[in-house]
């Protein structure tokens, strides 16, 4: 799979919050950063970034500003 084509399963919102926290933590460890006021993700896949943004907003009530 091409890095620009990465995505997550369509039923991702049905996964447990604990699983999703682990998924997000793992992704941040490899392709992201965290500061006092920001969580930053890096990816060539806009769809993957949009899915992470959606997860943060819907499952964890974390406001996301841009991709």
């Amino acid at each position: 799979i091409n890095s620009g084509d990465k995505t997550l399963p369509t039923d991702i919102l049905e996964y447990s919050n604990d699983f999703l926290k682990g998924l997000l933590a793992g992704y941040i460890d490899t392709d992201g950063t965290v500061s006092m006021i920001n969580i930053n993700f890096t990816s060539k896949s806009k769809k993957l970034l949009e899915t992470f943004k959606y997860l943060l907003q819907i499952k964890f009530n974390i406001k996301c500003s841009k991709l």
Side-chain angles (χ1 to χ4, degrees):
I1 191 165
N2 198 343
S3 62
D5 297 329
K6 287 182 184 177
T7 189
L8 294 171
T10 55
D11 63 346
I12 194 77
L13 289 177
E14 297 175 24
Y15 292 28
S16 73
N17 282 1
D18 286 339
F19 177 86
L20 294 173
K21 286 176 189 176
L23 174 70
L24 290 164
Y27 196 82
I28 290 168
D29 283 347
T30 58
D31 291 317
T33 59
V34 175
S35 70
M36 293 294 287
I37 59 170
N38 291 312
I39 300 171
N40 297 300
F41 294 96
T42 303
S43 178
K44 289 184 177 183
S45 171
K46 186 172 182 176
K47 185 168 180 132
L48 182 64
L49 293 174
E50 288 172 344
T51 304
F52 277 129
K53 180 179 177 180
Y54 187 73
L55 278 176
L56 288 167
Q57 292 177 149
I58 300 300
K59 292 292 268 188
F60 300 106
N61 200 30
I62 296 173
K63 184 179 177 184
C64 300
S65 59
K66 62 181 179 177
L67 290 175

